[in-house]
Amino acid sequence: MSDWFETYEANIALDRPLADDGSVPVYSTASGAMYLGQSEDVLRSKPLKKFAGKVQLVMTSPPFPLNTKKAYGNRTQDEYVEWFADFAPILRDMVTEDGSIVIEIGNAWMPGRPVMSVHVMKAFLRFLEKADLHLCQEFIWYNPARLPSPIEWVNKERSRVKDAFTRVWWMSPNERPKADNRNVLREYSPSMKRLIKSGKYNAGLRPSAHNIGAESFKTDNKGAIPPNVGNVDGIPSIDGTISQQQFEQTMTQISEFEEATNLLKAANTVSSDDYRKFCLNQGAKVHPARMPKSLADFFVKFLTDKGDIVLDPFAGSNTTGAVAENLERKWLGVEADWKYAAHSIGRFCPTSIVSTCQGISIGSRGDRKTADSTVKAQE
């Protein structure tokens, strides 16, 4: 994306243009478009209504409950549950019959108290019920780089440990939605590679009650199937039972400690990514809660094929759209904040942008004449 800094530049208005009624995208590529507005309104509008029943994957992370009141409209916990559930039928109408809805939500704590709120779980359950969806699988995203929180109870009082994971629910109107875990296989660990090569290991019953067949691990399946929990290696066993690594050591008859590589984990600490550089270059605020590319990448690969449509109704900095485009999927994004929506254009190569709204113009660096811009802004 270095073209933004070497060849092209973007001029972005400080605020949403008054003439912009949201009917045209903030920007679009040949594969997708970013729209501005409240998601519940935009998804029912004419431009997006035509995609109803055609979206293969909804991949999103809505605002967390109990964060700053200013950011999320003074919603109480109960109001959040109902607000979230109201999106269920809207998103259900957007997906295909074998489509998926994947939602990531962080944990919430009771304000001023060292106890967790159960409203996130209530919100998920109400979401399922309101749209008559199936819970295909629950995933845990462990963020190894997350700062200790809540600070009051973890750092000061020392009565709680660091809250470092969020829940990811995979839902669908179909009990068997389109999915293929062969698209998300992880590289075998070194010990597993040696085992496959040698074909030698101790078969039989393990202390964990796993019964290892004589031929179970002789086939090279081109990678390991990832679990739904990420980065549990290195966490000491609390109850003294055999760990996954101990099981692997026993199975492969090796003594060295090796970290498995078939785990779902993601850290969002890359400070030099192109989107961040673009925002800093524009003097704009970087979105504070960006979805990790690796998380979106996993589910887009797992649940869609090339050419399928991926929708993010709370797009933020549009990680989902950028990942979908990179994987040759079509995409749709909706974001309520003009600055976040407009500056998410920095995730895309400037030559891939085919249109912009009135508040954005793209031109060659050093050439301020937008009429000669490579991309013509929509009127």
Side-chain angles (χ1 to χ4, degrees), residues 130-155:
K130 195 152 187 178
D132 193 25
L133 298 169
H134 301 283
L135 176 59
C136 299
Q137 197 164 18
E138 181 180 34
F139 291 76
I140 295 298
W141 167 44
Y142 167 53
N143 184 352
R146 188 169 180 179
L147 296 175
S149 65
I151 293 176
E152 182 68 27
W153 320 121
V154 177
N155 290 33

Side-chain angles (χ1 to χ4, degrees), residues 59-365:
M59 176 76 200
T60 194
S61 180
F64 292 5
L66 308 182
N67 281 359
T68 59
K69 291 184 177 181
K70 182 178 179 181
Y72 299 139
N74 292 316
R75 291 188 182 92
T76 65
Q77 296 178 40
D78 290 331
E79 287 172 341
Y80 180 88
V81 172
E82 294 307 313
W83 169 81
F84 181 60
D86 286 342
F87 277 97
I90 300 174
L91 298 182
R92 167 64 184 86
D93 289 343
M94 295 298 294
V95 298
T96 62
E97 283 304 312
D98 65 348
S100 294
I101 300 173
V102 175
I103 297 179
E104 181 256 343
I105 301 183
N107 297 313
W109 292 73
M110 298 299 291
R113 298 162 58 190
V115 292
M116 297 189 72
S117 169
V118 298
H119 281 74
V120 169
M121 289 174 277
K122 287 183 178 180
F124 270 133
L125 291 173
R126 286 283 293 120
F127 189 96
L128 277 173
E129 293 167 355
K130 195 152 187 178
D132 193 25
L133 298 169
H134 301 283
L135 176 59
C136 299
Q137 197 164 18
E138 181 180 34
F139 291 76
I140 295 298
W141 167 44
Y142 167 53
N143 184 352
R146 188 169 180 179
L147 296 175
S149 65
I151 293 176
E152 182 68 27
W153 320 121
V154 177
N155 290 33
K156 296 180 180 180
E157 189 177 286
R158 298 278 182 164
S159 60
R160 298 293 183 268
V161 296
K162 183 170 72 171
D163 183 13
F165 81 92
T166 58
R167 288 181 172 85
V168 183
W169 275 28
W170 168 26
M171 298 165 277
S172 175
N174 195 315
E175 291 184 357
R176 290 180 173 83
K178 179 161 71 173
D180 192 340
N181 65 27
R182 290 170 295 186
N183 295 332
V184 288
L185 296 178
R186 304 298 172 88
E187 183 181 359
Y188 284 127
S189 65
S191 57
M192 192 63 188
K193 291 178 181 178
R194 289 196 296 270
L195 183 151
I196 293 172
K197 186 176 181 179
S198 67
K200 297 177 181 179
Y201 62 92
N202 285 340
L205 191 65
R206 296 293 188 270
S208 60
H210 288 88
N211 190 11
I212 307 302
E215 303 294 325
S216 299
F217 294 97
K218 291 184 178 181
T219 302
D220 185 353
N221 292 308
K222 308 303 180 183
I225 299 172
N228 65 335
V229 179
N231 202 32
V232 294
D233 290 324
I235 300 176
S237 174
I238 295 175
D239 59 6
T241 58
I242 189 170
S243 68
Q244 177 65 31
Q245 288 177 326
Q246 290 170 324
F247 169 72
E248 183 180 346
Q249 287 174 327
T250 302
M251 179 185 71
T252 59
Q253 296 181 296
I254 61 173
S255 58
E256 69 268 31
F257 181 89
E258 294 181 324
E259 180 180 3
T261 59
N262 60 337
L263 298 169
L264 177 65
K265 70 174 180 178
N268 200 18
T269 60
V270 180
S271 60
S272 60
D273 64 82
D274 292 315
Y275 163 73
R276 185 174 183 275
K277 285 182 179 179
F278 182 84
C279 289
L280 293 176
N281 182 266
Q282 292 284 323
K285 181 181 178 181
V286 177
H287 196 286
R290 304 184 299 282
M291 179 182 290
K293 292 180 181 179
S294 55
L295 191 65
D297 184 87
F298 176 87
F299 286 103
V300 171
K301 287 179 178 177
F302 181 31
L303 303 175
T304 69
D305 295 318
K306 290 181 179 180
D308 285 344
I309 301 174
V310 179
L311 164 68
D312 189 342
F314 303 99
S317 66
N318 202 16
T319 301
T320 302
V323 167
E325 174 129 341
N326 186 56
L327 294 174
E328 299 181 52
R329 275 69 167 173
K330 298 176 183 178
W331 60 271
L332 296 166
V334 183
E335 170 55 37
D337 187 292
W338 160 257
K339 292 181 181 179
Y340 291 147
H343 289 91
S344 70
I345 198 173
R347 290 197 180 276
F348 299 84
C349 179
T351 57
S352 71
I353 307 298
V354 298
S355 72
T356 63
C357 68
Q358 291 184 5
I360 302 175
S361 62
I362 300 174
S364 298
R365 185 162 288 278

Side-chain angles (χ1 to χ4, degrees), residues 22-43:
S23 61
V24 298
V26 175
Y27 62 87
S28 66
T29 70
S31 298
M34 168 67 93
Y35 287 87
L36 179 69
Q38 296 297 326
S39 187
E40 56 267 48
D41 298 326
V42 176
L43 292 179

